[in-house]
Amino acid sequence: MTHVPILSFKLSPTSSMRSVLDTEYNAASRQHVDPRLHLSLPPSVNMGKGYSARIASNPYIVGTFACIGGGLFGLDISSMSAVLNNPAYANTFNNPTANAQGAIVASMPAGSLIGALSVTYLGDKLGRKNTVILAGLFWVIGSILQCASVNRGMLVVGRIIAGYSVGISSAVVPVYQSEIAAPEIRGRLVSFQQWSITWGILLQYFVQFGCSYINGAASFRIPWGLQMIPAIILSLGMLAFPESPRWLVDHNREAEALEILADLHGGGNQQDDLVVLEFEEIKSQVYFERTEGAKAWSDLLKPGVSRRVVLGSTLQMWSQLTGMNVMMYYVVYVFEGAGLTGRRANLIADSVQYVLNVTFTVPAIIYIDKWGRRPMLIYGCLIMGFWLYLVGGLQARFGQWGTINGASSWVVLNNPAATKAIIVCSYFFVSSFAISMGPASWTYPAEIFPMRVRAKAVSLSTATNWLFNFALAWAAPPMLTHIQWKTYFVFGTFNFAACIHFFFCFPETAQRSLEEIEDVFAQGHEYSAWAVSRSVGKKDLADVLANKVDEKESFEKVNA
């Protein structure tokens, strides 16, 4: 095979690789590399950029704008949860039963499942940036169909198309963010995906709440139509953003990749030490992975990758089995069962939950790279399980069979203290998810996979999320109807099981580059993840250059 040189370098006659290794380097402070070392990089280019360099220079703008794609998921959640007790909605769609309503809600995650899987092709073929743009266009189409729907079939089709958009964006946006973010803020930026979901939920809910004062079908058609606006902003705005440099290197566009890295992390300076370090790490990893053969689904089963596929997929599974989205989709039913049966009072109580969801995501965004992923996952599930068991216990102790909207239901009657206690415990549960599992469940899968399989593996992990989202969205109304308070014990038990799994199997990945995370998993410790030190995988430029020498020599031997 023909080898593309990883790195060309020259040492002065009196120098040695040992002198390079002894050179002190600190990427954060931009100290200089040994002057005897001369790097041969692709020539500086002054091409017509297909993005705004000014935008690319701000890591928070370039890392968070695509999160509008996550906000679309939030818009969908409250676009349904807020109409469940709307008489106009019930009349328009022929008073759906619990099972029928579950199917309507589940149609969106069904489309998302397909969308997430399609990223395995779209993300690698079109690039991360263009795939995000495509997701926004599909959302607009789905929103138009929902807004104009006159029967359940048309509504379901619109939700499936909108779900396809959400599935695409939920898989590709974290990948895009993780591939353009600096290691020290990567977790924070990817966490904005979860925060945007919470904002989508909140904003759409208040639009729905305001429109609830309108009589007739306009009370739900107006919010369903307005939700296309963020998608239009997303698709048009992404035209000014750069492509992932890692995707560009993987597609033999190294000069463009270096230029984007320089704009992202070096103020436009392609010789900046941190830019050089990151560029060489990316090239090294991409070229190494190319020696493994063509990209294929079977790559996900290879040693060193299959373990990570299991971790990413099970994390997304657990994020659904916590019961969080059940509390989001069907909070109206939850609070009705707690005894809060008035429509306006219920909507107001629901809004408090959504505000808490937004608010408590903020500390997680700020501190996720300091706290680490493991503690957030472990302690988060432990606390969430506790609150759900309290909700179930209160429902069991103070609830009884009654009637809600003409249907037989398990409800707390004439006990304001128990009603308030259940609602407060629900608030604590949502707040616990927002500050722990919510951001971590998007960050971790986006950063643990090798470049060659990242799009496929993340889309598979995200598809697992949507598969369980679909199942629970459909199953939750019948569960709340037939096993009542035991539903909360089921989800509480899932949280405790997830806590055990995270403790034994999930190593820490915070504050490492995507390439350094390879060393974390090379340590092994499949069932003793706590044994992986936080210092594992940390490299400076001298370490990277030393590795390049070894790789260059091995490639020359192979080619010889």
Side-chain angles (χ1 to χ4, degrees), residues 379-432:
Y379 294 117
C381 284
L382 191 64
I383 296 170
M384 285 189 289
F386 170 76
W387 294 121
L388 285 177
Y389 263 71
L390 274 182
V391 171
L394 289 168
Q395 284 271 15
R397 174 65 179 83
F398 299 105
Q400 56 185 288
W401 285 107
T403 301
I404 299 177
N405 298 326
S408 180
S409 303
W410 186 269
V411 60
V412 175
L413 296 174
N414 303 318
N415 195 326
T419 296
K420 292 175 183 176
I422 292 171
I423 292 173
V424 169
C425 287
S426 299
Y427 289 162
F428 279 124
F429 166 80
V430 169
S431 300
S432 300

Side-chain angles (χ1 to χ4, degrees), residues 180-429:
I180 64 172
E184 62 270 14
I185 62 171
R186 185 180 62 249
R188 186 178 304 166
L189 291 183
V190 179
S191 295
F192 273 100
Q193 168 82 347
Q194 175 63 23
W195 202 38
S196 68
I197 294 173
T198 66
W199 271 107
I201 295 172
L202 182 66
L203 294 176
Q204 175 71 326
Y205 189 85
F206 278 115
V207 171
Q208 292 269 9
F209 182 81
C211 290
S212 69
Y213 289 91
I214 301 174
N215 294 323
S219 62
F220 62 85
R221 294 196 191 280
I222 291 175
W224 289 356
L226 291 176
Q227 65 184 0
M228 73 178 71
I229 295 175
I232 296 172
I233 295 173
L234 173 65
S235 292
L236 294 178
M238 281 300 295
L239 296 173
F241 285 76
E243 180 56 86
S244 160
R246 287 171 170 83
W247 182 84
L248 291 170
V249 170
D250 196 35
H251 287 73
N252 301 314
R253 295 161 63 179
E254 293 184 8
E256 294 175 67
L258 179 59
E259 183 182 34
I260 290 173
L261 281 172
D263 288 333
L264 286 171
H265 304 146
N269 178 14
Q270 296 184 14
Q271 302 295 328
D272 180 89
D273 291 344
L274 179 58
V275 171
V276 173
L277 171 63
E278 196 168 9
F279 182 66
E280 291 302 327
E281 278 191 321
I282 293 170
K283 286 202 301 178
S284 175
Q285 189 64 34
V286 168
Y287 294 148
F288 171 74
E289 290 165 358
R290 283 180 182 173
T291 65
E292 300 295 310
K295 300 175 183 177
W297 280 102
S298 58
D299 290 344
L300 300 182
L301 302 177
K302 289 185 176 180
V305 177
S306 58
R307 172 193 174 192
R308 287 180 257 186
V309 171
V310 171
L311 294 181
S313 297
T314 54
L315 174 54
Q316 292 284 21
M317 175 193 74
W318 289 128
S319 73
Q320 290 299 316
L321 293 179
T322 59
M324 176 60 173
N325 276 338
V326 173
M327 299 293 281
M328 292 287 102
Y329 283 132
Y330 300 114
V331 62
V332 169
Y333 293 164
V334 172
F335 287 175
E336 282 180 347
L340 196 64
T341 55
R343 184 185 176 203
R344 290 278 182 263
N346 197 315
L347 290 173
I348 292 172
D350 299 347
S351 68
V352 173
Q353 177 161 293
Y354 294 140
V355 170
L356 291 172
N357 193 22
V358 172
T359 303
F360 278 87
T361 304
V362 175
I365 292 173
I366 296 173
Y367 294 109
I368 185 171
D369 289 305
K370 182 177 181 180
W371 293 343
R373 291 32 160 176
R374 269 177 61 82
M376 293 174 69
L377 293 171
I378 293 169
Y379 294 117
C381 284
L382 191 64
I383 296 170
M384 285 189 289
F386 170 76
W387 294 121
L388 285 177
Y389 263 71
L390 274 182
V391 171
L394 289 168
Q395 284 271 15
R397 174 65 179 83
F398 299 105
Q400 56 185 288
W401 285 107
T403 301
I404 299 177
N405 298 326
S408 180
S409 303
W410 186 269
V411 60
V412 175
L413 296 174
N414 303 318
N415 195 326
T419 296
K420 292 175 183 176
I422 292 171
I423 292 173
V424 169
C425 287
S426 299
Y427 289 162
F428 279 124
F429 166 80

Side-chain angles (χ1 to χ4, degrees), residues 68-80:
I68 293 176
L72 302 181
F73 177 30
L75 293 175
D76 179 82
I77 289 177
S78 52
S79 74
M80 288 306 301

Side-chain angles (χ1 to χ4, degrees), residues 135-149:
L137 298 179
F138 273 108
W139 177 266
V140 171
I141 296 171
S143 297
I144 292 173
L145 287 174
Q146 290 179 78
C147 181
S149 59

